[in-house]
């Protein structure tokens, strides 16, 4: 029989800062960040996790903490955890690590979360050219359901999942990451037209010692200085898994991660109570602290057996994800379409990102007709269980992207009807999201034909 209690390998104390935890946390990827715990294959072990900001965002009535957040510190991860088999032999480079999510949820006594948009001068987001100001909504959990005082009239079940789960890179893979992302930062603005459409800043976050936390390695030592100057940021997903933000990785899911270093050095964090496909507001899930109960299996030689490199080296692989059987059931959806034409009317060639941006903008403008501010809808679409799809990618010149929203999450019928949309103070959804002023001078994109301009 399985043990009645899970082995707690990484505890967290929410009253302590991330760098003050008894079992140290980290916020970078590097092969030399030492493991803080060990787990054997076949055993179920528990990992506790702080929210990705380490408690910087508060349960209060202000968005100033979002506006001024130091993004050099994110994400705070629990681990690394060294994985060994039943004979004590560690996972080896070239193996595949199968990680099963047995259970997960919020930490007891901390059953709340937040969704936000960053200030355009400090992080931005998918629609930051339309929504440049920092905003925030607080969510409270009632069992499997979430509701927000700042987005009234909405309640939905969460599909809880970790936004980040991954293994440590080898030195060779780390160098590949840093070089290709450095080239993007240096040359991307001139060579990628998408930048002028999405206004994403920065193009990539390169290694920096600022805000760096490296687990057991003491800050200020020569070892810390060297590793901190090389260690990769945790912001994007990469070959090791990492920040993939796949909303369906909930109970019963399995993640098949490539192993690049001895022991695999598994880390996880960025817990989400719920998220929409794309996490479009960037700080866009219902972010929370939480726990994961995990069980691992080592597939010896699994990288070569199951993963096909898509690049110049055997390291250019990607994980495989097996979705579990648990998810909310919705039967009615309203689906919004977008094509590869930007807000200025300019045609792009089979650009799925521009198409998805159009789909999200179409959904925001439509739902705002039912009493919601556009900021409320932007945050809602980032964290509710909506489904994003690439519906067409071959019919030149337009890619077609869709965003499907479950209608049951609203307390009103939002479908088009022969009668006109209701108007007046009765339908206005108050209070609004918590919002700061935008003090920058970058231009805001306007849609001249929108029902209203944000």
């Amino acid at each position: 029989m399985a043990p009645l209690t899970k082995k707690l390998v990484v505890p967290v104390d929410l009253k302590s800062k991330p760098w003050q935890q008894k079992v140290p946390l980290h916020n970078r990827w590097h092969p030399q960040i030492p493991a803080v715990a060990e787990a054997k294959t076949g055993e179920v072990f528990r990992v506790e996790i702080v929210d990705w900001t380490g408690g910087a965002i508060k349960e209060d009535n202000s968005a100033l903490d979002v506006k001024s957040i130091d993004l050099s510190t994110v994400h705070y991860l629990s681990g690394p955890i060294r994985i060994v088999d039943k004979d004590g032999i560690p996972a080896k480079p070239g193996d595949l690590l199968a990680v099963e999510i047995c259970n997960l949820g919020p930490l007891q006594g901390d059953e709340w979360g937040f969704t936000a948009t960053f200030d355009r001068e400090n992080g931005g987001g998918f629609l930051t050219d339309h929504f440049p100001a920092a905003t925030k909504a607080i969510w409270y959990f009632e069992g499997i359901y979430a509701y927000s005082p700042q987005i009234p009239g909405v309640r939905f079940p969460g599909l809880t999942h970790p936004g980040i789960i991954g293994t440590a890179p080898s030195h060779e893979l780390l160098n590949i990451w840093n070089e290709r992302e450095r080239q993007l930062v240096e040359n991307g603005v001139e060579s990628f037209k998408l930048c002028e459409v999405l206004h994403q800043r920065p193009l990539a976050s390169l290694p920096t010692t600022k805000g760096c936390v490296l687990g057991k390695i003491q800050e200020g030592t020569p070892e810390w200085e060297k590793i901190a100057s090389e260690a990769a940021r945790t912001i994007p997903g990469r070959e090791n898994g990492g920040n993939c933000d796949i909303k369906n990785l909930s109970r019963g899911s399995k993640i098949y991660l490539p192993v690049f270093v001895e022991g695999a050095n598994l880390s996880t964090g960025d817990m989400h109570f719920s998220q929409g496909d794309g996490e479009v507001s960037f700080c866009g899930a219902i972010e929370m602290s939480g726990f994961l109960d995990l069980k691992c299996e080592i597939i010896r030689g699994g990288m070569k057996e199951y993963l096909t490199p898509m690049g110049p080296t055997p390291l250019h692989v990607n994980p495989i994800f097996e979705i579990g059987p648990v998810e909310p059931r919705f039967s009615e959806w309203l689906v919004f379409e977008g094509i590869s034409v930007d807000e200025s009317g300019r045609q792009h060639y089979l650009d799925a990102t521009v198409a998805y941006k159009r789909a999200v903008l179409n959904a925001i403008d439509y739902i705002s007709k039912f009493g919601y501010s556009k900021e409320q809808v932007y945050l809602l679409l980032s964290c509710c269980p909506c489904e994003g799809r690439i519906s067409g990618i071959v019919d030149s010149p337009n890619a077609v992207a869709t965003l499907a929203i479950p209608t049951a999450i609203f307390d009103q019928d939002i479908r088009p009807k022969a009668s006109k949309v209701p108007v007046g103070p009765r339908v206005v959804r108050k209070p609004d999201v918590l919002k700061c002023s935008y003090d920058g001078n970058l231009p805001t994109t306007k849609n001249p034909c929108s029902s209203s301009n944000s």
Side-chain angles (χ1 to χ4, degrees):
M1 290 181 59
L4 295 178
T5 57
K6 313 295 185 298
K7 176 184 176 183
L8 178 59
V9 299
V10 182
V12 297
D13 178 4
L14 297 180
K15 296 179 181 179
S16 298
K17 300 293 186 183
W19 53 90
Q20 297 171 334
Q21 297 294 321
K22 184 177 179 181
V23 176
L25 307 181
H26 66 103
N27 59 10
R28 300 291 194 270
W29 295 115
H30 195 282
Q32 290 177 249
I33 299 175
V36 298
E38 182 175 286
K40 286 187 176 181
T41 57
E43 72 175 359
V44 178
F45 59 94
R46 175 162 291 190
V47 180
E48 293 183 344
I49 297 165
V50 300
D51 82 76
W52 69 272
T53 73
I57 304 302
K58 304 300 182 183
E59 182 192 359
D60 59 18
N61 293 315
S62 171
L64 286 172
D65 48 6
V66 176
K67 182 175 181 176
S68 61
I69 188 170
D70 180 2
L71 293 175
S72 72
T73 65
V74 298
H75 305 76
Y76 289 109
L77 304 182
S78 295
I81 302 164
R82 176 182 169 90
I83 306 299
V84 301
D85 65 18
K86 294 179 180 179
D87 296 320
I89 301 173
K92 302 287 187 181
D95 291 344
L96 203 59
L97 184 68
V99 183
E100 180 179 353
I101 299 176
C102 300
N103 197 15
L104 75 175
L107 290 178
Q108 187 173 2
D110 202 44
E111 292 90 355
W112 70 279
F114 61 90
T115 307
T117 58
F118 296 122
D119 187 277
R120 188 170 177 182
E121 307 294 320
N122 186 32
F126 190 52
L127 303 181
T128 193
D129 55 317
H130 287 260
F131 300 95
T135 64
K136 183 172 77 174
I138 302 295
W139 296 86
Y140 296 102
F141 311 147
E142 296 177 328
I144 65 169
Y145 290 92
Y147 73 93
S148 172
Q150 286 81 41
I151 310 179
V154 170
R155 185 173 185 260
F156 53 81
L159 189 55
T160 303
H161 61 279
I164 297 178
I165 187 164
T167 53
S170 63
H171 281 285
E172 182 182 358
L173 183 58
L174 179 65
N175 291 338
I176 290 171
W177 292 352
N178 288 340
E179 177 59 22
R180 73 189 183 198
E181 292 174 20
R182 181 190 62 78
Q183 290 182 12
L184 177 67
V185 169
E186 292 178 356
N187 305 317
V189 174
E190 289 75 24
S191 59
F192 292 103
K193 292 297 182 184
L194 190 60
C195 302
E196 63 186 82
V197 179
L198 290 183
H199 303 277
Q200 290 282 22
R201 304 170 35 250
L203 298 181
S205 296
L206 301 180
T208 176
T209 59
K210 181 186 177 185
C212 187
V213 176
L214 297 176
K216 290 181 176 181
I217 303 174
Q218 186 175 351
E219 183 175 355
T221 62
E223 181 185 21
W224 186 92
E225 294 288 350
K226 179 179 184 300
I227 293 174
S229 66
E230 301 169 346
R233 300 297 306 279
T234 61
I235 294 169
R238 299 185 182 92
E239 286 84 349
N240 69 325
N243 194 19
C244 298
D245 287 323
I246 299 173
K247 77 177 193 313
N248 303 85
L249 292 181
S250 195
R251 292 174 182 86
S253 297
K254 276 189 176 182
I255 305 100
Y256 299 90
L257 294 166
V259 176
F260 302 104
V261 301
E262 184 176 288
N265 281 5
L266 176 70
S267 297
T268 185
D270 191 25
M271 285 291 290
H272 297 163
F273 187 83
S274 176
Q275 181 202 293
D277 279 336
E279 198 185 13
V280 290
S281 78
F282 195 18
C283 186
I286 299 180
E287 312 286 347
M288 68 173 195
S289 64
F291 73 90
L292 284 173
D293 290 343
L294 303 175
K295 184 172 69 172
C296 292
E297 175 189 358
I298 299 171
I299 302 174
R300 299 294 183 185
M303 279 180 63
K304 184 176 181 181
E305 188 75 19
Y306 293 106
L307 304 183
T308 302
M310 294 293 175
T313 78
L315 303 178
H316 287 80
V317 295
N318 295 100
I320 298 171
F321 303 91
E322 181 181 346
I323 301 303
V326 180
E327 63 180 8
R329 286 199 308 247
F330 296 107
S331 59
E332 296 181 344
W333 304 76
L334 209 57
V335 181
F336 297 87
E337 180 191 72
I339 58 174
S340 305
V341 179
D342 65 32
E343 297 90 317
S344 71
R346 192 168 102 196
Q347 180 73 59
H348 296 258
Y349 179 70
L350 293 179
D351 196 318
T353 306
V354 172
Y356 197 61
K357 187 183 183 190
R358 276 285 299 270
V360 176
L361 287 170
N362 286 338
I364 290 173
D365 197 67
Y366 178 89
I367 295 174
S368 69
K369 299 175 187 292
F370 293 85
Y372 292 98
S373 72
K374 291 190 176 183
E375 287 86 356
Q376 285 175 316
V377 184
Y378 186 26
L379 291 188
L380 176 63
L381 296 183
S382 194
C383 69
C384 78
C386 55
E387 301 278 344
R389 297 284 187 273
I390 297 176
S391 300
I393 201 68
V394 296
D395 298 313
S396 302
N398 281 329
V400 176
T402 55
L403 181 65
I405 303 168
T407 58
I409 71 174
F410 297 95
D411 67 354
Q412 60 179 311
D413 187 353
I414 64 165
R415 294 173 298 179
K417 292 171 284 294
S419 57
K420 290 186 177 181
V421 174
V423 295
R426 179 179 61 84
V427 297
V428 176
R429 298 294 175 161
K430 297 292 184 182
D432 202 347
V433 297
L434 307 167
K435 185 176 180 180
C436 293
S437 62
Y438 171 60
D439 304 320
N441 56 13
L442 293 171
T444 301
T445 302
K446 300 287 186 181
N447 177 4
C449 294
S450 173
S451 60
S452 65
N453 283 311
S454 301

